[in-house]
Each structure stands twice: as structure tokens, then as C-alpha cells.
Amino acid sequence: MLAQQCAQQPLFAQVQLILSSPYTRALQTALEIVRFNDIPLKVELGLHEWLPDNTGIRTDTDEQAATAYKLYRQHAGKRTTASPRPYESAAEMKARVLATLNKYAASYDCIACVTHGEVMRQFGDQKDVDYCGVRVIAVD
């Protein structure tokens, strides 16, 4: 229901391409936007959610991932050398997303990205983002 309401926002009339995280919920939201607006969609691995362990090894438990996220938030997105989890820093996440977006900058004037709250928090204020929340950002 939220995705269907989001898809009806007038700003999508300007969008030339939708880029989506490969995660299921993001893809489901992107498909609602595509269905309502008939905009081309590409899945981009670089738009995935924050990583509680950036070594590529799956975190052993949900508790360990929660601990990594707590440390991430306590240290304002910075990874400290004392951290027991090698989580993705905010700077690393933002660089990953910008590298993804920059692949399309020369070809498109207006791109919509369907991604995750923590990713979106890197662009603008550091407040939480509502589900299906929309932020307009300029990427140079």
C-alpha cells in the first residue's frame, strides 16, 4: 500500500530511470513505481543496504549484526579500530552509492533510486527515513 501511494507522487513524471537495490523489499517498491509510471528499471548491486560486516562474510547472528549497527550509530558512522566488527562505515557506504550513481550521470538528468533507509541517511540530514520515504538529492 505504501509503495502504491509513493508511486503516485508527481515527481516521478521527471524520472528517466529507476535504479533499485537488489534486496527484495526494494525491488517490490521499485516495481510498483514502474507499474504506475512506466519508467525503465535497472537493478544495481551498489545500492544494497549497510553491511554489518564488510569482509563479505555473513554475520553469525542477528545479535552480532545488531551490535555492529549499535556501534556504527554510536560512532556516527565511523568504524573505530577497537570495533570487534568490521562494519561498513558511512563514508564507505556513501562512496559506494555515489560510484553507482556516477555510472549514469552522463546519460540521465533525473534518476530515482529505490534503496534503504541507512543508505538514504547518507544524503541529507541524519534522521530516520520512513518506509517509502522520498528524498530529492543532487549528485554532482
Side-chain angles (χ1 to χ4, degrees):
M1 183 68 146
L2 287 175
Q4 292 168 347
Q5 291 172 345
C6 176
Q8 296 179 34
Q9 293 192 33
L11 66 92
F12 288 110
Q14 302 169 44
V15 173
Q16 300 163 306
L17 177 67
I18 296 174
L19 299 177
S20 177
S21 161
Y23 289 19
T24 302
R25 252 189 344 202
L27 279 170
Q28 289 169 333
T29 299
L31 289 173
E32 285 299 322
I33 296 168
V34 167
R35 188 174 66 82
F36 190 82
N37 295 282
D38 195 29
I39 302 168
L41 169 68
K42 288 191 177 196
V43 176
E44 273 292 343
L45 299 178
L47 297 178
H48 64 77
E49 180 58 289
W50 170 82
L51 297 172
D53 185 337
N54 70 359
T55 64
I57 300 169
R58 185 172 170 89
T59 307
D60 294 336
T61 66
D62 288 342
E63 184 179 315
Q64 288 174 322
T67 299
Y69 188 66
K70 183 178 178 182
L71 288 168
Y72 169 86
R73 292 296 293 258
Q74 282 177 345
H75 296 284
K78 295 182 178 124
R79 186 175 53 248
T80 66
T81 55
S83 172
R85 306 294 312 161
Y87 56 80
E88 183 178 37
S89 72
E92 290 167 332
M93 184 180 353
K94 187 171 186 176
R96 166 175 51 87
V97 172
L98 286 173
T100 300
L101 297 177
N102 284 333
K103 294 190 303 187
Y104 299 91
S107 302
Y108 297 93
D109 296 321
C110 187
I111 297 170
C113 293
V114 182
T115 187
H116 309 276
E118 194 57 45
V119 173
M120 291 176 66
R121 288 181 71 231
Q122 305 317 304
F123 300 90
D125 62 40
Q126 292 297 306
K127 295 179 183 171
D128 289 328
V129 179
D130 293 333
Y131 289 115
C132 292
V134 174
R135 291 198 174 176
V136 177
I137 62 166
V139 178
D140 299 324

